[in-house]
Amino acid sequence: MKLPDLTDLEAAGVHEHAATSDALSGAAATARLKYFAVDLTHAESKHALLDALARGLALPAHFGHNWDALADCLEDDDVMGKHGAVVRVAHAAPFRKAHSADWTTLEEILNEAAEFWKERHVPFWVFVA
């Protein structure tokens, strides 16, 4: 499946896509967007999910490991960058299946962050694999 045009602000948001990390990081570099890779291989709880997000998104040390803190960080240009970002969330299926309520909350936060950035004319992409 072909990657979307990462400069297309209107298409930015949360998408299911099996693109490789190399393909996404290359496309992000071409579009001059920050790239983050989140690996959920060992995310077997909400706490482990938040840890994986903190590592993959390089969240600051003061990240509070809760939903509100995650939402705040995703809307902080010191964290996400001033020109936009691409986030690849890999190995999401097991967590999604085992923790559907937490996955739904995460998707809502990611979608809200995408809308926040879109209103500021900054692309924020999340690709879930």
Side-chain angles (χ1 to χ4, degrees), residues 7-118:
T7 62
D8 182 0
L9 180 63
E10 291 307 311
V14 181
H15 301 274
E16 297 284 328
H17 203 290
T20 66
S21 185
D22 287 344
L24 277 175
S25 66
T30 299
R32 297 184 178 168
L33 304 175
K34 252 179 133 172
Y35 176 74
F36 300 96
V38 177
D39 184 354
L40 299 186
T41 299
H42 301 292
E44 297 175 0
S45 66
K46 176 184 171 186
H47 181 75
L49 169 70
L50 291 168
D51 281 346
L53 289 163
R55 277 190 309 279
L57 297 171
L59 298 180
H62 67 270
F63 171 60
H65 285 80
N66 61 62
W67 295 130
D68 289 337
L70 177 62
D72 289 345
C73 286
L74 290 174
E75 295 178 0
D76 184 340
D77 61 8
D78 287 336
V79 176
M80 293 289 102
K82 295 177 183 359
H83 303 289
V86 174
V87 179
R88 180 176 186 259
V89 181
H91 306 108
F95 186 89
R96 180 186 294 184
K97 184 176 180 183
H99 306 279
S100 61
D102 286 331
W103 182 260
T104 297
T105 301
L106 175 60
E107 278 189 315
E108 289 170 357
I109 290 169
L110 293 171
N111 280 309
E112 287 173 10
E115 286 303 312
F116 172 88
W117 289 112
K118 195 176 287 188

